[in-house]
């Protein structure tokens, strides 16, 4: 990122944090090629709380709306949720999610983020996965923070068609079409 | 199961244990509608070790052949492995694998068994998942023991087509067509 004026930087910083509230001051400093102290001062001036506080607020708002799953059952941090419409979550990948022989995150951890979000987005008490077509489009590396977005594409009675896209920054790393079923009347 | 003669029972017992070495004496007793003591005596006469011993032997043989993953990285217990051909694993499901709101095992645990077996069956040091078409054909309940079988259907250079079927007893609970990639030369 080329050197920006303070005004430009603060404008962009606001947007970047809005898009991904989970970035730490260190990550933001690296992104903007400024010191951590500069990011802290920017946040103070803009009235943006520190990452821990941001995460908590965002998560509390989203978790409060869940129906099919309980807090802690979504894999990753839930950040947005409009039942029967869309949901978003972030997953910070760790060494334990990779095989010892490679730094690539194992497919089932990414699938778990996707599948649990496909369940969470549905407005019903009980939801099961029927089928899915999935694609791992790029490898995810240990330490990557990935963002999943679920969109409910169609509802036919008890059958839900949910599209999941997972990104690392702007790169698509996973794509999935999920067919889900709600097990009882509830929701809408 | 209708009452069998001792000879018939022992013949069938041998086969049942061969198919699923993870059944406990209690489960076998229930299956054959006899006492646990009867099963123990049958095993003694047939020279079949107890479940713990069976599991250990079976697992050691299979794990010794793994290339892409280390022991403990296969989800479930690996029982058979012929690299680039087939593999089998058993997974004993637990309460923690279900959502609090239902006794149904969450899809990503079943997917993890399938996907890790699709990696394990390949004769290469490094393997990643490309894509998959999967179907959850019946719900798996807490406590169910499920058996996965992987079959390598086709190899095209670095590309592997692996079929995974998972059963609870004789019922198909999961079906998946996986496309896998090995990342370097190795294997056959």
């Amino acid at each position: 990122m080329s050197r920006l004026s303070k005004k430009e930087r603060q404008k962009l910083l606001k947007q970047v944090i809005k898009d991904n509230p989970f970035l730490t001051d260190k990550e933001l400093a690296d992104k903007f090629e400024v010191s951590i102290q500069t990011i802290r001062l920017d946040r103070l001036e803009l009235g943006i709380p520190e990452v821990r506080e941001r995460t908590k607020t965002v998560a509390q708002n989203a978790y409060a709306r869940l129906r099919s799953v309980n807090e802690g059952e979504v894999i990753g941090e839930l950040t947005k949720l409009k039942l029967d419409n869309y949901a978003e979550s972030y997953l910070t990948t760790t060494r334990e999610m990779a095989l010892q022989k490679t730094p690539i995150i194992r497919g089932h951890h990414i699938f778990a983020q996707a599948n649990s979000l496909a369940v969470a987005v549905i407005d019903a008490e009980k939801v099961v996965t029927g089928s899915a077509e999935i694609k791992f489009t790029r490898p995810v590396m240990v330490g990557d923070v990935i963002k999943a977005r679920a969109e409910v594409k169609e509802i036919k009675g008890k059958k839900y068609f949910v599209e999941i896209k997972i990104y690392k920054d702007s790169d698509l790393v996973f794509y999935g079409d999920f067919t889900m079923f709600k097990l009882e009347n509830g929701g809408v």
Side-chain angles (χ1 to χ4, degrees), chain A:
Chain A
M1 201 172 281
S2 67
R3 203 75 180 190
L4 302 164
S5 73
K6 180 175 165 180
K7 204 176 149 191
E8 288 169 325
R9 185 183 65 236
Q10 292 197 345
K11 194 179 161 196
L12 202 53
L13 181 68
K14 219 169 152 175
Q15 189 55 48
V16 165
I17 291 178
K18 200 179 155 222
D19 288 345
N20 180 356
F22 294 100
L23 290 172
T24 62
D25 286 348
K26 171 72 173 67
E27 287 165 332
L28 291 166
D30 289 348
K31 207 173 183 96
F32 285 91
E33 295 175 3
V34 295
S35 70
I36 296 181
Q37 187 56 20
T38 302
I39 295 293
R40 281 196 196 127
L41 289 171
D42 280 350
R43 280 202 297 96
L44 266 179
E45 288 182 28
L46 295 165
I48 299 173
E50 54 149 359
V51 66
R52 207 175 297 229
E53 203 49 48
R54 292 200 300 270
T55 312
K56 226 174 79 187
T57 312
V58 168
Q60 278 169 347
N61 287 338
Y63 285 118
R65 296 193 203 101
L66 284 173
R67 285 203 63 208
S68 55
V69 295
N70 291 315
E71 201 179 320
E73 296 186 328
V74 178
I75 312 294
E77 284 286 332
L78 189 71
T79 51
K80 290 186 186 169
L81 177 60
K82 188 165 181 218
L83 285 172
D84 284 355
N85 278 273
Y86 60 79
E88 286 184 13
S89 72
Y90 283 85
L91 179 67
T92 304
T93 62
T94 61
R95 189 70 196 93
E96 295 70 46
M97 297 180 188
L99 292 177
Q100 283 179 40
K101 293 186 181 178
T102 74
I104 298 172
I105 298 302
R106 304 180 71 180
H108 68 262
H109 291 290
I110 297 164
F111 180 84
Q113 182 188 18
N115 197 28
S116 66
L117 198 63
V119 173
V121 75
I122 294 174
D123 190 5
E125 288 280 331
K126 290 174 190 171
V127 176
V128 293
T129 308
S131 60
E133 282 185 38
I134 60 175
K135 220 171 210 121
F136 295 89
T137 46
R138 267 165 186 258
V140 176
M141 299 301 177
V142 170
D144 284 352
V145 179
I146 53 178
K147 172 183 169 178
R149 181 168 173 94
E151 288 196 16
V152 176
K153 290 294 183 184
E154 205 185 341
I155 304 173
K156 277 189 182 172
K158 294 178 182 305
K159 208 168 173 180
Y160 282 69
F161 299 93
V162 183
E163 176 194 78
I164 308 277
K165 287 179 178 171
I166 303 183
Y167 294 90
K168 150 133 179 66
D169 299 325
S170 55
D171 292 333
L172 188 72
V173 296
F174 174 95
Y175 178 86
D177 277 320
F178 286 76
T179 306
M180 313 295 293
F181 293 91
K182 62 175 175 183
L183 292 184
E184 95 289 35
N185 291 320
V188 193

